[in-house]
Amino acid sequence: MTILTWILVALVAILILRDIVFDIIGKEEVSINIPDPAVPKVLSHDGDAVTLGVPFQIINDGKQSALVIDVIVRPQLAFEQYDGVSVHGKAEMEGRPREDDYFEAAVLFAKGDKSGSNVMNIMAQITLTPRKGMTMKKALSGMVDLPIDIVYMFVGRVPCHYEKGRIILTAEQIAEATGTELITD
Amino acid sequence: MAKVQIIPVPTRILTQKDDIIDTVERYTKGKIGKNDVISVAESVVAITQGNFLRVDEIKISRAAQNCCRFIPDYGSLATPHGMQALMLAEGTWRVVFALALGFLGKLVGCRGLFYKYGGEQAALIDDATGTMPPFDKCVVYGPKNPQEVVDKLKERLGCYGAIIADVNDLKRSRIVGATAGMDAERAANLLIDNPFGNASQKTPICIIKNFA
């Protein structure tokens, strides 16, 4: 064999060895766990706005820790479908309440790591505010199904990137949680 | 002899728009004497120097992705971003060489070669979550020209000495820069309980009273 062939063989061997080592070391395996069906509960309710909470989890089942950089709760109610309420979303980590909408980056430990949990409990807080001079009761009586995207950014052994999950709060669930009677046309 | 005392000085969140010397002077006015030492947290000095990168703005190389896998996952260089930040500061080949040297060193029982040859930032970089919001989503480097900063602080405040310290809640205390004549080891021991605080305690400045 020529020298070139030996170099190529050595390179291929190094790459195979690298993959084997990386496979043994493992990496983070982050996913979102949204209860199905999602069960909203009222966190606060006054005449001006109602805030619903929907718990969900971000879980790391991998062998390596991850850093959860950001979690964004993005309600997807289009006024073309229903313009009786405006919707605002916020993610709040369990045990770390914040008055602002900021999500503080945190470590999500590897599964079995004694330093901390591999499960991050988060509450999606959805605030519904009536529009067009309607009362809360009237605004919620015409509510439609509300899709909410949960967008989360994390980094571990792979570069940081966004992934997404989705909660769908049905009009019936919202009505039941807020004690409202739905009016269908 | 007066008792040594550590006084944390609360501040607002400091940013790259602040000058660290002016800021420390403003917050410690009337509180610091000629026998005292001013101590500033290293990450805050770096932030005021603009010495940080947002995680989502760092372009990751394949070398960084591969190299970070060899650092234990609790280290600040364990993510591709932390490793890439080091490569940007110290040079890709230097970091790769130091990592290989560190690996070979470990095989023969010689530890710490990576941090010795990987450049001064290898031990100073804080990955995301290492600093309080809004810098929790950033990789924060160690401060630039720490000696110049402490010399200016001492001169401006007229105190016994000045230090830049890297302290955490895990009882690790390291002096990154100290004025001449300072007993840096003694200062590091005094700061071992992390009076700067982590999380959201905004006390990046501490006065060590009666140090002299």
Side-chain angles (χ1 to χ4, degrees):
Chain A
M1 287 207 285
T2 64
I3 292 174
L4 190 64
T5 313
W6 278 111
I7 290 171
L8 280 172
V9 168
L11 278 174
V12 170
I14 287 169
L15 287 175
I16 291 170
L17 191 65
R18 182 202 65 172
D19 287 349
I20 291 169
V21 170
F22 285 1
D23 205 41
I24 292 167
I25 295 171
K27 59 178 184 176
E28 72 285 358
E29 285 169 28
V30 178
S31 61
I32 190 166
N33 177 28
I34 295 170
D36 186 21
V39 182
K41 63 175 181 181
V42 175
L43 300 178
S44 69
H45 193 174
D46 57 36
D48 297 328
V50 59
T51 300
L52 301 173
V54 184
F56 67 94
Q57 297 171 320
I58 296 179
I59 299 170
N60 181 7
D61 285 319
K63 292 180 185 173
Q64 301 283 307
S65 297
L67 305 177
V68 177
I69 304 293
D70 207 355
V71 181
I72 301 158
V73 173
R74 179 93 170 93
Q76 296 284 11
L77 177 68
F79 282 169
E80 286 88 341
Q81 188 182 9
Y82 183 61
D83 62 358
V85 291
S86 65
V87 189
H88 174 82
K90 171 188 173 179
E92 190 171 275
M93 204 189 315
E94 186 181 73
R96 289 201 198 179
R98 294 187 65 99
E99 290 179 29
D100 54 24
D101 284 354
Y102 194 88
F103 187 90
E104 187 174 346
V107 180
L108 186 57
F109 290 92
K111 192 176 185 178
D113 191 329
K114 291 189 176 104
S115 311
S117 176
N118 71 319
V119 177
M120 188 179 281
N121 292 304
I122 301 172
M123 183 70 81
Q125 299 182 0
I126 318 296
T127 302
L128 307 167
T129 310
R131 296 181 75 238
K132 298 181 162 184
M134 279 193 267
T135 63
M136 178 64 73
K137 192 174 177 186
K138 174 126 177 69
L140 290 178
S141 67
M143 192 61 192
V144 295
D145 290 356
L146 174 60
I148 301 149
D149 286 345
I150 308 294
V151 183
Y152 56 105
M153 179 199 263
F154 65 94
V155 59
R157 297 305 193 169
V158 295
C160 82
H161 61 285
Y162 287 100
E163 289 192 12
K164 199 168 91 169
R166 179 166 261 211
I167 295 170
I168 295 181
L169 292 183
T170 64
E172 291 76 15
Q173 284 174 321
I174 295 169
E176 191 183 331
T178 56
T180 312
E181 195 174 328
L182 280 179
I183 297 169
T184 48
D185 50 15
Chain B
M1 191 176 166
K3 193 181 165 194
V4 175
Q5 223 184 338
I6 296 174
I7 301 175
V9 181
T11 68
R12 60 173 168 75
I13 291 278
L14 304 180
T15 71
Q16 66 271 36
K17 292 173 88 175
D18 294 296
D19 178 276
I20 192 67
I21 311 294
D22 294 344
T23 306
V24 172
E25 184 184 28
R26 191 166 65 249
Y27 279 103
T28 59
K29 201 169 185 177
K31 295 176 185 166
I32 192 159
K34 62 179 172 36
N35 291 327
D36 304 340
V37 166
I38 189 75
S39 168
V40 188
E42 59 111 15
S43 57
V44 171
V45 177
I47 285 166
T48 58
Q49 293 172 331
N51 213 11
F52 60 89
L53 298 168
R54 276 192 66 86
V55 161
D56 50 1
E57 289 175 353
I58 301 173
K59 196 175 172 202
I60 307 295
S61 65
R62 196 165 285 275
Q65 282 192 60
N66 284 321
C67 289
C68 76
R69 301 291 295 269
F70 296 100
I71 306 288
D73 68 350
Y74 50 80
S76 278
L77 304 174
T79 65
H81 306 85
M83 185 57 78
Q84 184 65 55
L86 177 64
M87 287 175 168
L88 289 170
E90 306 290 357
T92 300
W93 286 109
R94 178 180 184 169
V95 174
V96 172
F97 173 74
L99 199 61
L101 205 61
F103 178 72
L104 294 173
K106 264 188 183 173
L107 291 179
V108 295
C110 184
R111 302 174 76 88
L113 292 180
F114 170 63
Y115 291 98
K116 187 174 178 184
Y117 294 103
E120 65 173 1
Q121 291 293 343
L124 293 175
I125 282 176
D126 281 327
D127 201 356
T129 74
T131 316
M132 74 163 69
F135 300 100
D136 58 319
K137 301 176 197 320
C138 298
V139 176
V140 180
Y141 285 107
K144 282 182 262 188
N145 308 318
Q147 195 57 50
E148 192 184 317
V149 174
V150 290
D151 288 343
K152 280 185 180 172
L153 279 171
K154 181 183 174 180
E155 190 190 336
R156 182 79 71 87
L157 303 177
C159 54
Y160 176 74
I163 54 173
I164 297 173
D166 179 12
V167 188
N168 66 22
D169 286 338
L170 305 172
K171 302 275 180 195
R172 194 190 72 161
S173 175
R174 198 159 68 97
I175 303 303
V176 178
T179 47
M182 277 275 312
D183 183 349
E185 198 177 334
R186 182 175 160 227
N189 287 333
L190 287 170
L191 297 172
I192 199 84
D193 289 325
N194 194 12
F196 300 115
N198 274 348
S200 294
Q201 296 141 289
K202 291 179 273 185
T203 53
I205 305 166
C206 285
I207 301 170
I208 308 178
K209 296 294 284 183
N210 309 311
F211 185 88

